[in-house]
Amino acid sequence: MYNYKNFGESPIHNALSYFYYFISVNILFTLSNLLFIISLIVLKLELQNLIFFIIALIPTGPSLTALFSVMGKLVREKDIYPFKDYWNAYKLNFKATMKVWSIQLFLLLVIIVDIRYMSTANNISFIFIKPLILIAVTLVSISIYLYAILSRFDLKTKDLIKLSFFYTFKRLPSSVVNMIILGISIYFAFFKSPILIPFIAGIIVYIMMFRLSSVLKEIEENIIVTS
């Protein structure tokens, strides 16, 4: 006869638990970014609507930190309380996140406007498009480390940015792999199967946090302890 006491440790139970975790967290992340999702549906992806998209992206920063926090806890402890953990992390890291997120939104605005202008210009400025794209990709790569670190540690903004920049290039091969994973996921979600968008964010971040676990452990042991 099957021992029900062992059900909590069975592969089926673990699979169902993770399915529940990912669905719950992705729903929370989607609700947190409902303004941006609505703007994508209502507005065309045109330069004149850029300021509306930037405004709609304001809640995305804290929701990213919350997502990284919950997925990081799932990697470490194999167990979470999705609703409680997500909203606690959202509120706890709101101020710290908005400091860096506002900078990122401003840089995003400048880069997009510059790329758009240079792509239509008939002069030498066209050659600066590729460097701008490289800068944008680098900023995204740095952001992966930034939100992973921010979700775990209470650091000054300048220290947070320095650490994120440092590990992006110290772990350059890993950073490239992270960008490939992110790029492929975004491509399939937005261009192949948009229905995946509400369900894919948690899985991507879980993979990122799993890959960055050694970095976070190194920071905890060698930087946080000695600070």
Side-chain angles (χ1 to χ4, degrees):
M1 183 177 293
Y2 188 82
N3 186 355
Y4 286 94
K5 292 182 179 180
N6 295 327
F7 180 71
E9 300 174 1
S10 71
I12 295 176
H13 175 269
N14 291 335
L16 290 174
S17 295
Y18 273 74
F19 179 78
Y20 164 72
Y21 296 152
F22 284 122
I23 291 294
S24 300
V25 173
N26 279 315
I27 289 173
L28 292 169
F29 185 74
T30 300
L31 290 174
S32 302
N33 290 281
L34 205 54
L35 185 60
F36 180 64
I37 293 171
I38 292 172
S39 68
L40 283 174
I41 297 171
V42 174
L43 301 173
K44 292 183 179 180
L45 288 171
E46 297 175 348
L47 189 61
Q48 57 264 36
N49 293 325
L50 180 59
I51 189 65
F52 295 106
F53 285 116
I54 294 295
I55 292 171
L57 278 169
I58 290 175
T60 300
S63 65
L64 278 173
T65 306
L67 187 61
F68 272 87
S69 177
V70 174
M71 291 297 103
K73 182 179 179 181
L74 184 57
V75 169
R76 296 190 310 274
E77 301 179 13
K78 318 299 181 188
D79 185 33
I80 57 172
Y81 298 95
F83 296 91
K84 178 183 176 182
D85 291 338
Y86 184 90
W87 291 117
N88 282 347
Y90 190 99
K91 292 182 290 183
L92 180 65
N93 298 301
F94 185 86
K95 277 189 177 181
T97 300
M98 287 307 300
K99 288 180 183 179
V100 293
W101 184 238
S102 58
I103 297 172
Q104 289 183 305
L105 285 180
F106 174 75
L107 292 175
L108 178 65
L109 177 64
V110 171
I111 290 172
I112 291 176
V113 171
D114 284 347
I115 289 176
R116 177 61 178 167
Y117 169 75
M118 292 178 186
S119 65
T120 58
N122 295 317
N123 52 45
I124 197 170
S125 64
F126 185 79
I127 66 174
F128 292 106
I129 290 180
K130 287 184 179 180
L132 279 174
I133 293 174
L134 180 61
I135 290 172
V137 171
T138 303
L139 286 175
V140 173
S141 182
I142 291 172
S143 296
I144 293 172
Y145 289 88
L146 190 149
Y147 290 104
I149 297 170
L150 177 57
S151 71
R152 281 285 307 278
F153 307 113
D154 183 16
L155 297 170
K156 294 180 180 178
T157 303
K158 64 177 182 178
D159 295 329
L160 178 64
I161 294 172
K162 286 179 181 177
L163 274 175
S164 305
F165 190 88
F166 171 74
Y167 278 104
T168 297
F169 292 97
K170 180 183 179 183
R171 304 287 184 97
L172 189 57
S174 181
S175 301
V176 172
V177 172
N178 285 339
M179 289 304 299
I180 292 172
I181 294 171
L182 183 61
I184 292 173
S185 302
I186 290 174
Y187 173 76
F188 277 99
F190 280 88
F191 299 106
K192 292 296 183 179
S193 184
I195 197 172
L196 290 174
I197 295 173
F199 305 102
I200 203 170
I203 297 173
I204 297 171
V205 173
Y206 179 84
I207 294 171
M208 299 294 182
M209 290 302 284
F210 182 82
R211 289 177 47 77
L212 294 175
S213 56
S214 61
V215 170
L216 297 174
K217 185 176 181 181
E218 182 177 319
I219 293 173
E220 184 175 24
E221 292 178 350
N222 300 329
I223 297 175
I224 303 300
V225 172
T226 58
S227 62

